[in-house]
Amino acid sequence: MFSNEDKKKNIATPRICDVVWHDGEFIAWNDARVHVMSHVLHYGSSIFEGIRCYATKQGPAVFRLKEHMQRFLNSAKIYRMDHNRSLEQLCDASVELVRRSGLEQCYIRPILFRSLDEARPAFGVNPFPNPLACYIGAWDWGKYLGDEAIEKGVDVCVSTWNRLTPNSMPAMAKSGANYMNSQLIKMEALLNGFAEGIALDDRGYVSEGSGENIFTVSNGMVLTPPLSSSILAGITRDSVIQICHELDIVVKERSIQRAALYVADELFFSGTAAEITPIRSVDRITIGSGHRGPIAERLQKEFFGVINGTREDTYGWLSPVHAVAAVG
Ligand code: PMP
C-alpha cells in the first residue's frame, strides 16, 4: 500500500508569483481568498486555463496566449458566465503579471468562478444570483510528469473510469468540475503504480489522459482522437498537428480503439503541463521499442526548439513579455 508520503511524491514546492491579478488590479497572493460558502466550492462552478511562459533568449515568452484566452472565453460562454472581460484585457493582464512576478518561466492560471455575494447570499444550485470573480495567478512549475519522462517516457494504464459524455459535462469546456473525473483517473493510475491513466470515451474509444491529449504513431502515420471522443481541444495538440504538417508527417484525427494503443509503434501525450511526453508502456505492455520513438523525438525537437528560442518562432506562438505588443 502507498503511505501518505508516497502519495505526495513528485510534488516539489513551486515558487509562486507574490501578486495575483484581480479584475484590473494586482493584489497580494495572500489576499486572493474566497468565502467557504462560495458557489464554486459546493457546485464546481469554475472555468480556468493553464498557460506556460517559457524562458527564452529574449526573456520570458508566453506560449499561445491568445488561443488559451479564447478557449477561456469559450468555456465561460458554454457555462453562461456573462462577464465583460475581453480577450485583449486578459492577454495583457497575463503578460503584466509575468512581468511583475520577476519569474523567468512560469505557469499562468486564469480562473473565473461563481463566488458569494455576502450582502445577499444565495446557496442554491442556480448559479445566476452569484457574482462572478476572475483572477490570474502564476507560479514556477517544472516538468509535469517528471524530468526523465520527456526522454524515457512514462508507464500508463487504461483507466476503469470513462471520460465525460458529450451531453453530460462538455469536455470542450475547461471547467473545474471536469477535473473530478480527471482526479478519479489520476488517483487510480498513481495508486496502481502508473504515472497517468488514459480514459476511454462513452463508446469505448480512446479519449485522453487526465490532463493531456494522446497521439498514436503506426506505420509513420500520426493519429489522435477527434473532438467527438470527449477530449479537450488541446492547444499543444493543435501545435503538434501544425508541426506534423510542417515536417510533412501524415496526421489525422480518427477514433482509436483501446487495442490499437498496445500495438502502436509509438504513443505520446501532449499538453501544456506534459508538453510532449512519450509513453513507453500501457497496462504493462511495452509500446514499440519501449522508449521514445523517432517521430516523438522529431516533434519534440521542433517544439522545444521554438519554446527554448533555439529555433525561430515561425509559427508565431510566443508572446514575449518584454515586448511592447504583448499579444502575438
Ligand atoms: N486534456 C485535458 C483534460 C487537459 O486538462 C489538458 C490540459 N489543459 C489537455 C487535454 C491538454 O490541453 P493543452 O494542450 O491546451 O494544455
Side-chain angles (χ1 to χ4, degrees):
M1 274 307 288
F2 282 77
S3 69
N4 281 339
E5 281 316 302
D6 282 333
K7 287 179 196 153
K8 290 183 202 155
K9 255 187 203 160
N10 295 329
I11 305 178
T13 310
R15 263 187 68 205
I16 55 152
C17 167
D18 54 14
V19 287
V20 171
W21 182 88
H22 173 46
D23 282 338
E25 278 178 63
F26 288 89
I27 59 172
W29 172 274
N30 284 335
D31 293 336
R33 296 184 185 277
V34 294
H35 197 285
V36 292
M37 289 299 158
S38 291
H39 192 270
V40 60
L41 288 182
H42 302 259
Y43 305 119
S45 40
S46 70
I47 60 100
F48 69 100
E49 266 307 315
I51 309 168
R52 269 203 198 249
C53 172
Y54 288 101
T56 73
K57 276 188 272 176
Q58 289 76 41
V62 187
F63 185 70
R64 305 203 66 180
L65 177 56
K66 223 170 158 178
E67 289 85 349
H68 277 286
M69 285 308 188
Q70 187 56 57
R71 189 171 68 186
F72 186 72
L73 293 177
N74 292 349
S75 299
K77 191 170 185 185
I78 291 169
Y79 280 101
R80 300 176 192 272
M81 292 175 157
D82 287 331
H83 63 100
N84 50 11
R85 287 108 192 150
S86 69
L87 184 65
E88 199 185 4
Q89 184 189 16
L90 292 166
C91 290
D92 287 349
S94 305
V95 167
E96 182 58 23
L97 181 73
V98 178
R99 211 176 277 145
R100 288 182 186 225
S101 76
L103 295 169
E104 274 306 299
Q105 57 172 36
C106 60
Y107 182 90
I108 305 166
R109 168 57 55 82
I111 182 162
L112 176 68
F113 59 90
R114 311 268 188 189
S115 76
L116 177 77
D117 181 346
E118 290 186 39
R120 298 181 59 203
F123 303 114
V125 169
N126 172 15
F128 292 125
N130 305 94
L132 286 162
C134 188
Y135 293 81
I136 309 175
W139 59 88
D140 188 358
W141 227 7
K143 299 287 177 218
Y144 183 62
L145 295 169
D147 279 327
E148 264 189 31
I150 293 288
E151 212 183 302
K152 298 218 166 108
V154 286
D155 300 308
V156 308
C157 59
V158 173
S159 185
T160 63
W161 296 102
N162 282 356
R163 201 72 185 118
L164 311 154
T165 65
N167 212 27
S168 59
M169 302 276 287
M172 69 180 285
K174 195 169 169 66
S175 69
N178 284 2
Y179 287 81
M180 289 301 270
N181 175 253
S182 291
Q183 288 173 54
L184 291 171
I185 296 164
K186 187 79 182 180
M187 288 189 292
E188 181 188 56
L190 291 177
L191 292 174
N192 287 323
F194 298 102
E196 184 56 285
I198 299 167
L200 305 179
D201 68 16
D202 59 318
R203 302 160 308 158
Y205 289 101
V206 174
S207 176
E208 59 182 349
S210 71
E212 310 86 9
N213 294 113
I214 188 167
F215 285 82
T216 72
V217 183
S218 296
N219 301 319
M221 190 194 283
V222 176
L223 299 179
T224 194
L227 298 192
S228 54
S229 278
S230 290
I231 63 162
L232 180 73
I235 313 285
T236 322
R237 174 182 178 274
D238 178 70
S239 309
V240 168
I241 292 171
Q242 283 191 42
I243 293 174
C244 285
H245 291 151
E246 181 73 19
L247 301 184
D248 282 330
I249 297 169
V250 181
V251 59
K252 290 191 172 16
E253 293 178 71
R254 191 175 283 174
S255 297
I256 298 170
Q257 294 182 32
R258 172 180 184 163
L261 296 177
Y262 303 134
V263 296
D265 298 329
E266 296 182 38
L267 294 179
F268 58 88
F269 283 129
S270 72
T272 296
E275 297 169 315
I276 298 175
T277 299
I279 297 170
R280 64 182 175 194
S281 74
V282 180
D283 297 334
R284 313 220 185 275
I285 298 178
T286 303
I287 304 306
S289 55
H291 45 78
R292 176 174 62 185
I295 294 207
E297 194 171 351
R298 277 178 74 197
L299 297 171
Q300 279 182 338
K301 198 168 163 227
E302 183 83 356
F303 181 78
F304 290 121
V306 173
I307 62 185
N308 294 333
T310 55
R311 179 207 177 288
E312 198 195 335
D313 177 22
T314 46
Y315 299 93
W317 286 341
L318 296 173
S319 297
V321 163
H322 297 305
V324 184
V327 182

